[in-house]
Amino acid sequence: MAGEAKVLDLLGAVQAHQRDAGHSWAVDVVLMTVKRRVLNLADRGLLELADREERAALSAWEGRPVRWAARLAPPGHDLLLYTCARPRQMTHAEAEPGRRRVELCLSQMAVLLLAVSLADRLQQPLAEGLADEVRAARCDHLVKRWVLHLTEDQLASVAYMFWLHKTTGSAAEANRFTRDTGITYQPAPTPRTAVPPSVPILHRQQTPTTPPSHRS
């Protein structure tokens, strides 16, 4: 991970030098101390090196011989773009007050991702911010779990989604969540509306009335 961080740092430095230069190249002078690493990233396809014609044009621009120059290759550019756009993982120490750290296995995360995809169609909506938390979740490889930091409302919403999953198939995800958090979901009973006596209740059997006896 540290090595990949250094790669991103170098790509960011090359990008910054490209912006500062009027010709969109990072030339040898500004990269001399990291030349070996630049060549390594070029071998990995993350940087492009100037060819002879480009070096000649850069030399004319700079007013001195430019022996080599580099710029971001498309994969290097996209790697930086993706890194900047990717939500930052929140560590346990950074959890905000009022939130709980929740660790979910892969099958549990699959349930939540399905819930997010159905969010606009659910009549019982997801708790505010839950969809963003699910999208921002990252796998903690030390515990081999996906880590989220959720409010009480979000936890209740997660329990609801696991109840839906349990009712239509597997109970393992809901049971694991209840075991880890102590939270479960049960639908609240719907209050019965008073029914006037004159309205028949169809599911009840009608008591047959005994016909009056006829005396002779």
Side-chain angles (χ1 to χ4, degrees):
M1 297 297 291
E4 292 305 313
K6 290 181 179 180
V7 168
L8 294 173
D9 287 343
L10 182 53
L11 291 176
V14 171
Q15 186 179 58
H17 290 311
Q18 286 185 236
R19 286 200 211 98
D20 294 341
H23 43 60
S24 299
W25 285 89
V27 295
D28 48 5
V29 172
V30 297
L31 296 176
M32 189 62 68
T33 59
V34 291
K35 179 180 179 181
R36 186 184 297 267
R37 292 172 57 199
V38 168
L39 297 178
N40 178 265
L41 293 191
D43 290 339
R44 294 174 58 180
L46 300 178
L47 292 176
E48 294 178 357
L49 299 177
D51 60 21
R52 179 179 303 215
E53 292 183 1
E54 289 163 336
R55 291 198 303 272
L58 289 171
S59 297
W61 182 287
E62 294 279 328
R64 62 166 186 84
V66 174
R67 291 180 174 21
W68 59 275
R71 66 184 178 186
L72 296 179
H77 171 275
D78 293 346
L79 182 58
L80 281 181
L81 178 66
Y82 186 84
T83 301
C84 294
R86 182 179 180 177
R88 186 171 63 92
Q89 183 176 1
M90 182 182 290
T91 65
H92 182 53
E94 294 171 332
E96 301 174 4
R99 291 181 178 270
R100 289 175 58 181
R101 176 186 170 98
V102 180
E103 298 175 358
L104 303 178
C105 66
L106 183 59
S107 64
Q108 289 176 306
M109 276 301 299
V111 174
L112 296 191
L113 289 170
L114 177 59
V116 169
S117 72
L118 297 174
D120 294 337
R121 298 160 58 189
L122 294 171
Q123 291 198 357
Q124 183 161 315
L126 299 179
E128 182 178 359
L130 178 58
D132 292 335
E133 291 293 332
V134 172
R135 296 188 187 101
R138 292 292 174 266
C139 184
D140 185 334
H141 296 287
L142 294 177
V143 296
K144 298 182 180 179
R145 291 290 183 269
W146 293 78
V147 178
L148 299 87
H149 294 84
L150 305 178
T151 65
E152 292 301 318
D153 287 344
Q154 291 168 351
L155 286 166
S157 194
V158 169
Y160 175 62
M161 299 314 305
F162 286 146
W163 173 81
L164 292 178
H165 188 71
K166 175 181 179 179
T167 306
T168 57
S170 171
E173 292 75 15
N175 293 341
R176 180 189 294 271
F177 183 74
T178 300
R179 184 169 63 250
D180 292 343
T181 65
I183 300 173
T184 189
Y185 174 84
Q186 286 295 336
T190 302
R192 295 189 178 185
T193 304
V195 180
S198 59
V199 178
I201 301 178
L202 299 180
H203 69 275
R204 292 183 180 177
Q205 293 183 350
Q206 298 293 328
T207 302
T209 57
T210 303
S213 57
H214 296 280
R215 296 181 179 178
S216 55

